[in-house]
Amino acid sequence: MWQANCRRMHNIADWISGTVMGGCVGRSRMDGPGSAHGSTRTKKRGARNEPLKKDRPKWKSEYPMTEGQLRSKRDEFWDTAPAFDGRKEIWDALRAAALALECNDLELAQAIVDGACITLPHGSLTESYDELGNRYQLPAYTLAPPVNLITETSGESKLSESAQKQAQPPPSREEFQLRVRLSTGKDVHLTASLADSIAVLKKQLEKQEDIEVIRQRWFFSGKLLTDKTRLQDAKIQKDYVVQVIVNINPSVIPN
């Protein structure tokens, strides 16, 4: 997995060097080290810039995680993170820097961060700012594997999935009002239970707001929710807010 990550990192880094990094370097030269514009950006961001540290966060998954599960979890984050806040080119630069750091190429990671004009107030990719003052936060699982990462084999994968299902308590049938925030800015309340799947709730939203199922994309904590996901699986509770992106053109929305 990590060899594949290194290859992906170099591919992304090549793209970063020709777009994000090139544009930022050009602006830096034009502004000059003593320009008022450069000083304004620093004051607006209000954070000191520390060099990137080699230390990576240590974290433990709720259950033993395979490399494939970790890769899927990361892909879901990187694919959905730009949907709500920040600039896509900065997210791409952070992704390349995270891969470079995991491949122990600190020099390349620092070059990507500097080239994209990303400020690190603590010397870590867990919190950063772009030149416009936008804040970016990366979860620990995007920067390092868990301490309980296991080697994936077909037998162990099935055993792990079986253990996870047995460990989960039966879903509650008690109904509550689920708050759903549409990308149009409207908040909607749906009658739901922890046992309900996203597919069921999509149909309910369609009946209530006349929004076709194919036009709905449900997200929670930056993660895309599949139709088979139950509220309990995503740990969505009564007082939580679920985001729904309503697409105007349903032909481009995969189910």
Side-chain angles (χ1 to χ4, degrees):
M1 172 183 176
W2 314 125
Q3 291 84 352
N5 276 348
C6 290
R7 289 194 297 270
R8 293 171 62 191
M9 175 267 295
H10 285 293
N11 291 336
I12 297 175
D14 290 341
W15 178 85
I16 293 292
S17 63
T19 55
V20 179
M21 295 175 65
C24 183
V25 170
R27 285 194 295 272
S28 299
R29 290 175 179 172
M30 183 167 54
D31 293 340
S35 67
H37 185 56
S39 176
T40 301
R41 284 205 305 268
T42 302
K43 291 180 180 179
K44 180 179 180 180
R45 187 164 48 208
R48 66 179 185 273
N49 191 14
E50 296 288 340
L52 186 60
K53 300 176 182 177
K54 191 174 183 180
D55 297 337
R56 290 180 288 177
K58 293 184 179 180
W59 65 282
K60 184 176 182 180
S61 174
E62 296 179 357
Y63 54 86
M65 180 179 290
T66 64
E67 292 181 355
Q69 291 170 330
L70 176 60
R71 184 166 56 250
S72 297
K73 188 176 182 69
R74 287 177 173 178
D75 288 342
E76 288 176 352
F77 173 81
W78 293 118
D79 290 343
T80 59
F84 297 105
D85 198 10
R87 298 153 56 196
K88 185 179 184 305
E89 61 269 25
I90 300 299
W91 284 114
D92 289 337
L94 289 171
R95 183 177 188 176
L99 286 173
L101 191 62
E102 190 167 18
C103 293
N104 295 319
D105 197 337
L106 182 62
E107 183 178 355
L108 176 58
Q110 184 70 62
I112 294 172
V113 168
D114 292 341
C117 291
I118 297 173
T119 296
L120 307 176
H122 307 294
S124 171
L125 293 176
T126 54
E127 181 185 7
S128 61
Y129 296 84
D130 64 16
E131 58 183 341
L132 301 179
N134 297 314
R135 186 186 184 191
Y136 300 81
Q137 291 181 291
L138 301 186
Y141 63 79
T142 62
L143 302 174
V147 295
N148 55 342
L149 185 73
I150 59 176
T151 303
E152 185 174 11
T153 63
S154 58
E156 289 179 348
S157 179
K158 293 179 180 179
L159 182 60
S160 176
E161 292 178 0
S162 176
Q164 292 176 37
K165 292 180 180 179
Q166 292 177 2
Q168 292 179 349
S172 172
R173 292 291 177 180
E174 181 180 355
E175 293 186 343
F176 60 91
Q177 292 297 304
L178 177 66
R179 186 179 177 187
V180 175
R181 178 164 296 165
L182 307 180
S183 56
T184 57
K186 181 179 180 181
D187 281 4
V188 179
H189 289 84
L190 303 178
T191 301
S193 72
L194 294 180
D196 288 340
S197 66
I198 298 301
V200 171
L201 296 173
K202 281 183 177 180
K203 293 179 181 178
Q204 185 180 158
L205 183 61
E206 180 180 26
K207 293 180 181 179
Q208 187 168 324
E209 297 294 324
D210 195 25
I211 302 174
E212 296 176 320
V213 170
I214 195 173
R215 296 172 55 201
Q216 303 177 29
R217 296 180 70 192
W218 288 52
F219 294 86
F220 181 70
S221 295
K223 179 180 179 181
L224 177 65
L225 302 176
T226 64
D227 288 349
K228 294 182 180 180
T229 303
R230 299 176 302 177
L231 295 184
Q232 177 178 279
D233 299 334
K235 298 182 179 180
I236 299 174
Q237 302 179 18
K238 179 179 179 180
D239 297 326
Y240 291 1
V241 179
V242 179
Q243 292 86 18
V244 176
I245 293 182
V246 181
N247 197 280
I248 299 177
N249 182 8
S251 63
V252 301
I253 297 298
N255 189 1

